[in-house]
Amino acid sequence: MMVVGLLAYWAGMALASVAALLLTLKAIIWFQCGWCSSSASMTGKVVVITGASAGIGKETARDLARRGARVVMACRNLEKAHRVAGKGSLKEQGSTNVIICVRVWKGGGGSHQTDTGNDLVEVRLLDTSSLTSVRSFADNFIKTEERLDVLILNAGIFGHSNLEYTEDGLELTMATNHFGHFLLVHLLLGVLRASAPCRVMLVASRMHLFARSFDVQKLNFPDQKDFGRIAAYARSKTCNILLAVHLADLLRGSGVTVNALCPGYVYTEILRRVEWGLSLAAVEKVTSFLIAKREVQGAQTSIHVAVSEEGANVSGQYFEECKVSKASAMARDRGLAKKVWEKCEELVQLAPEEKLHL
């Protein structure tokens, strides 16, 4: 019995040590997270955030609304967006995250009042995977709004394991994460330039480092052999950064800054919706517990670029943890950026009047 007792004691001590080590690791990772230190007011500013009904976009919307901005939540699921904006429950069903605040918005209808008293929060329909939806959103916005101070291109998906095309003939992940945003920024550029100084931000990812060199003519994954879920996501995020680089060059001196950013590894709906398989699901859960940020932490770099002086003074940069970082060599290749830009113009069927004229 004494031997059994000793074994149980040492087993318990070992488990406690492992648990303490893991918690220490998590604490170290969290303390290294960047945090927006700016207290800048956004009163009088108009902000559009795509994919603002969940995750990083939702937390970014909350922060900017608290600062007094008029926030337009551009979302494909209107029912969900109105629920978030109108009722304020931040804890999504099935989420394992602990949310610090349990209410975002109060009120209902098209405009919503935040917990800070800002009643200038609006929900509008936008599905970035649909070129028709993008054009409809932009047309409506231009007709109803006089200015746009911050455009945050945040919407994104991790995609499916099988190659899937949209009604426009675009690969679904590329369409949602990049092509739709490419078109949107073109269509809103007139109001952006008229509102200068203003900011355009693309929420990319460190996953762009997984992107392999590719033939620009096959940007849209025309066949299955080049396709993979990770490959599509990484390519879309590389294209986000390339767009920021090229557009920043084109708009130099205009008062419109364009930057890309990585929010870090955040356990949002994008990951929760992925079908990992039984074995990978367990690994993903443990990894997420150890190193994943909460959504409010993941939003900090977006908030920093949107409100800080640095976000207004630099352009064509890539941010991580609320500071300028360095993207991959491929994502900084200006020659490639120009080629991808021209291919995107073709793929989104950009009309002559929609093209950027400087």
Side-chain angles (χ1 to χ4, degrees), residues 1 5 16 30 38 53 64 81 159 162 190 231 258-259 297 309 324 332:
M1 291 295 292
W30 277 25
S38 173
S53 64
L64 300 185
N162 296 318
V258 189
N259 292 292
Q297 291 172 308
E309 281 192 37
V324 173
R332 290 180 282 115

Side-chain angles (χ1 to χ4, degrees), residues 155-156 177 203-205 207-208 232-241:
N177 298 359
V203 179
S205 168
M207 282 285 289
H208 81 275
Y233 186 79
R235 183 177 297 184
S236 72
K237 295 305 172 181
T238 300
C239 288
N240 287 165
I241 302 171

Side-chain angles (χ1 to χ4, degrees), residues 99-174:
I99 305 300
I100 296 174
C101 302
V102 296
R103 294 190 67 80
V104 190
W105 324 115
K106 297 177 182 177
S111 293
H112 304 276
Q113 185 177 35
T114 70
D115 55 357
T116 55
N118 182 349
D119 59 357
L120 299 177
V121 177
E122 183 179 345
V123 172
R124 297 197 190 191
L125 178 64
L126 173 63
D127 179 355
T128 55
S129 72
S130 166
L131 301 182
T132 299
S133 179
V134 173
R135 286 187 166 93
S136 178
F137 172 87
D139 183 61
N140 178 264
F141 187 88
I142 292 167
K143 288 177 178 176
T144 59
E145 306 297 330
E146 295 182 352
R147 64 180 300 107
L148 175 55
D149 299 280
V150 183
L151 174 61
I152 304 178
L153 304 174
N154 167 83
I157 61 171
F158 197 65
H160 302 155
S161 55
N162 296 318
L163 182 59
E164 183 177 346
Y165 295 103
T166 68
E167 61 186 11
D168 302 300
L170 302 174
E171 189 279 317
L172 182 61
T173 303
M174 287 291 295

Side-chain angles (χ1 to χ4, degrees), residues 283-326:
V283 174
E284 185 267 338
K285 289 287 185 185
V286 172
T287 303
S288 296
F289 170 77
L290 287 176
I291 65 174
K293 297 179 179 180
R294 294 188 221 180
E295 292 168 345
V296 67
Q297 291 172 308
Q300 292 307 305
T301 302
S302 292
I303 297 165
H304 173 78
V305 180
V307 306
S308 69
E309 281 192 37
E310 186 177 32
N313 294 331
V314 302
S315 194
Q317 299 297 321
Y318 173 70
F319 283 77
E320 287 185 283
E321 304 300 350
C322 298
K323 59 181 182 291
V324 173
S325 185
K326 197 170 186 178

Side-chain angles (χ1 to χ4, degrees), residues 231-293:
Y233 186 79
R235 183 177 297 184
S236 72
K237 295 305 172 181
T238 300
C239 288
N240 287 165
I241 302 171
L242 289 168
L243 171 56
V245 168
H246 191 64
L247 186 57
D249 284 345
L250 292 175
L251 295 176
R252 196 77 63 190
S254 68
V256 181
T257 61
V258 189
N259 292 292
L261 64 99
C262 169
Y265 179 55
V266 189
Y267 194 55
T268 63
E269 276 193 7
I270 287 181
L271 289 179
R272 292 197 290 271
R273 288 179 174 177
V274 175
E275 298 175 358
W276 296 102
L278 195 57
S279 58
L280 284 178
V283 174
E284 185 267 338
K285 289 287 185 185
V286 172
T287 303
S288 296
F289 170 77
L290 287 176
I291 65 174
K293 297 179 179 180

